[in-house]
């Protein structure tokens, strides 16, 4: 059985599996998924003539919302207690699947891992495993700039590992789709990390300053106490914070923020701004309409907003919101780029980014 392992937030394996099944069918590849409990990953099986590599070459990861990262499974290895390194090397030597040129290896753990011993072992294991793989001719550090792939090991537990490779051209920028961010003490709330992560996931690394720099103007709807406003100010933006609740006093003292006491769904600016961001917890379709209205009315060029999904129909609700956004933007004759992702710092919500292209 040919397989991919796909990573998602623990508890969202079914949504990720359904999305991957639909997206694969959309490019003519048909498979089925196996959730692996609430562990933050699933296996996608391809019983037909297509290979997982075909899927990675035809379906961009950026088009998926609930799937954060993935790799092709070459072998499912039972690890002995005596020579785990040798078991991995042997599995790759005996693999039927051709492995592209790799310059390094990544050892991952399930996101729900609570075994501190497994975590310590995985960190210490990387160096001897890398040496053994280089000795076997399965890694070539000299190819780092030109490597088409990276060897991958998902250490499920001390007795099992999923071994394979990811394509350099079609994988998450951060391993398992999880950027490691630190919350400064000056941030008004932990929600600040969501906006920072969204920028890192959605904005091209090489042109991020074009989106964020240059003294841009922004509106934060539902701003209080100011986590997202704080991030905008850190980029040098002038921010209108719209909320009936109180803002963080230190943030207001920056001189970069105007606080407007109003309903974020009703308020509109007199002049267009560069950014509109919205982290209001409300009905997702209501927020989707709000974003489409801001873009359709050309009140902003870029927007990032959250959609809080209902527990029992999370995937269906996202599809309905996406359809609503597309219909409204096309009716307004707006050219756009839409991306969405279930970010690491999200919980029951997903985060969307839309850029107006006209």
């Amino acid at each position: 059985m040919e397989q991919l392992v796909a990573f998602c937030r623990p508890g969202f394996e079914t949504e990720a599996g359904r999305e991957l099944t639909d997206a694969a069918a959309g490019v003519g590849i048909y498979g089925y998924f196996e959730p692996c409990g609430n562990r933050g990953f699933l296996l996608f099986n391809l019983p037909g003539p297509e290979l997982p590599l075909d899927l990675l070459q035809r379906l961009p990861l950026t088009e998926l919302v609930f799937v954060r990262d993935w790799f092709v499974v070459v072998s499912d290895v039972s690890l002995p207690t005596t020579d785990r390194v040798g078991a991995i090397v042997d599995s790759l030597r005996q693999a039927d699947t051709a492995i592209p040129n790799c310059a390094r290896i990544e050892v991952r753990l399930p996101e729900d891992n609570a075994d501190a011993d497994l975590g310590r072992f995985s960190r210490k294991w990387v160096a001897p495993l890398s040496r053994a793989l280089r000795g076997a001719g399965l890694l070539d550090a000299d190819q780092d700039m030109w490597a088409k792939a990276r060897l991958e090991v998902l250490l499920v537990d001390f007795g099992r590992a999923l071994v394979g490779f990811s394509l350099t051209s079609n994988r998450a920028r951060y391993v398992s789709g999880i950027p490691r961010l630190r919350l400064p003490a000056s941030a008004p709330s932990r929600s600040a990390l969501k906006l920072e992560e969204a920028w890192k996931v959605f904005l091209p690394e090489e042109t991020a300053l074009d989106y964020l720099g240059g003294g841009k103007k922004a509106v934060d709807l539902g701003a209080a106490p100011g986590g997202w406003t704080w991030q905008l100010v850190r980029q040098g933006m002038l921010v209108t914070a719209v909320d009936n609740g109180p803002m963080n006093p230190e943030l207001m003292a920056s001189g970069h923020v105007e606080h407007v006491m109003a309903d974020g769904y009703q308020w509109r600016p007199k002049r267009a701004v560069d950014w509109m961001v919205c982290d209001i917890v409300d009905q997702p379709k209501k927020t989707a309409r709000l974003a489409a209205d801001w873009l359709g009315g050309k009140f902003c060029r870029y927007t990032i907003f959250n959609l809080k999904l209902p527990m029992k129909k999370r995937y269906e609700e996202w599809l309905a919101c996406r359809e609503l956004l597309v219909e409204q933007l096309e009716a307004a004759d707006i050219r756009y780029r839409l991306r969405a992702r279930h970010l690491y710092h999200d919980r029951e919500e997903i985060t969307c980014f839309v850029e107006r292209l006209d």
Side-chain angles (χ1 to χ4, degrees):
M1 180 67 69
E2 302 287 349
Q3 291 180 320
L4 279 174
V5 60
F7 298 90
C8 62
R9 183 180 181 86
F12 283 75
E13 292 80 9
T14 297
E15 287 78 10
R18 291 180 61 194
E19 175 184 47
L20 187 50
T21 302
D22 289 349
V27 296
I29 295 178
Y30 300 94
Y32 65 93
F33 70 96
E34 298 175 48
C36 299
N38 293 332
R39 305 219 60 192
F41 69 92
L42 59 98
L43 292 172
F44 187 70
N45 301 304
L46 292 165
E50 297 88 358
L51 299 175
L53 187 57
D54 298 331
L55 183 58
L56 264 64
Q57 290 172 332
R58 291 158 65 179
L59 177 63
L61 179 65
T62 55
E63 293 186 7
L64 301 176
V65 178
F66 297 98
V67 176
R68 294 175 177 165
D69 202 4
W70 52 15
F71 67 77
V72 175
V73 177
V74 170
S75 56
D76 189 336
V77 185
S78 296
L79 297 174
T81 57
T82 51
D83 186 11
R84 294 184 176 92
V85 167
I88 298 296
V89 173
D90 289 344
S91 74
L92 289 170
R93 280 175 168 163
Q94 298 166 14
D96 295 329
T97 303
I99 301 172
N101 294 333
C102 297
R104 58 183 296 266
I105 187 168
E106 185 69 44
V107 176
R108 313 178 187 221
L109 297 174
E111 190 176 325
D112 76 333
N113 177 63
D115 187 342
D117 290 337
L118 186 65
R120 284 189 289 269
F121 170 77
S122 69
R123 291 189 291 273
K124 294 178 179 179
W125 196 43
V126 174
L129 182 57
S130 297
R131 285 195 297 269
L133 290 166
R134 284 196 296 270
L138 295 165
L139 277 183
D140 185 354
D142 293 335
Q143 296 191 63
D144 197 19
M145 293 288 291
W146 299 274
K148 296 181 179 179
R150 180 176 67 204
L151 284 178
E152 304 278 0
V153 175
L154 174 60
L155 191 58
V156 179
D157 52 43
F158 278 109
R160 182 190 180 199
L162 297 172
V163 182
F165 64 88
S166 62
L167 295 182
T168 303
S169 60
N170 193 15
R171 65 179 181 227
R173 186 186 303 180
Y174 305 96
V175 175
S176 300
I178 303 175
R180 300 300 178 179
L181 306 177
R182 295 179 63 183
L183 183 71
S186 58
S189 69
R190 287 195 61 81
S191 69
L193 293 176
K194 285 197 287 186
L195 186 55
E196 183 180 0
E197 183 183 356
W199 285 334
K200 289 182 177 296
V201 169
F202 296 135
L203 303 185
E205 189 174 14
E206 63 278 6
T207 59
L209 283 177
D210 295 338
Y211 289 87
L212 301 175
K216 289 182 169 53
K217 295 181 179 179
V219 171
D220 183 1
L221 302 178
W228 284 26
T229 295
W230 178 82
Q231 287 285 16
L232 296 163
V233 168
R234 288 184 84 198
Q235 300 299 324
M237 298 190 199
L238 296 173
V239 185
T240 301
V242 182
D243 201 306
N244 284 314
M247 295 291 292
N248 178 273
E250 294 180 5
L251 182 59
M252 294 303 302
S254 69
H256 281 253
V257 183
E258 177 190 3
H259 183 192
V260 175
M261 305 280 285
D263 181 346
Y265 282 103
Q266 302 300 320
W267 187 88
R268 298 293 183 274
K270 293 179 180 179
R271 295 181 181 83
V273 297
D274 300 289
W275 280 91
M276 182 276 281
V277 300
C278 178
D279 191 23
I280 300 175
V281 178
D282 208 313
Q283 298 176 21
K285 291 188 182 71
K286 184 177 179 181
T287 302
R289 290 189 188 95
L290 172 73
D293 184 65
W294 271 73
L295 292 160
K298 297 188 176 180
F299 293 112
C300 66
R301 179 165 294 278
Y302 316 112
T303 179
I304 286 178
F305 55 95
N306 282 337
L307 300 175
K308 179 69 180 291
L309 303 179
M311 181 68 73
K312 294 184 178 179
K313 292 187 176 181
R314 295 182 293 207
Y315 181 51
E316 291 85 351
E317 190 68 19
W318 157 239
L319 294 180
C321 287
R322 183 181 65 183
E323 182 178 4
L324 187 156
L325 277 164
V326 168
E327 286 181 353
Q328 266 192 248
L329 292 173
E330 292 183 352
D333 198 25
I334 296 294
R335 293 176 56 247
Y336 63 92
R337 180 169 70 96
L338 166 64
R339 286 190 59 193
R341 179 59 54 90
H342 193 199
L343 300 175
Y344 175 69
H345 291 94
D346 286 336
R347 294 182 182 178
E348 291 295 321
E349 71 273 15
I350 59 173
T351 300
C352 304
F353 167 65
V354 189
E355 174 184 2
R356 208 182 75 232
L357 299 177
D358 57 318

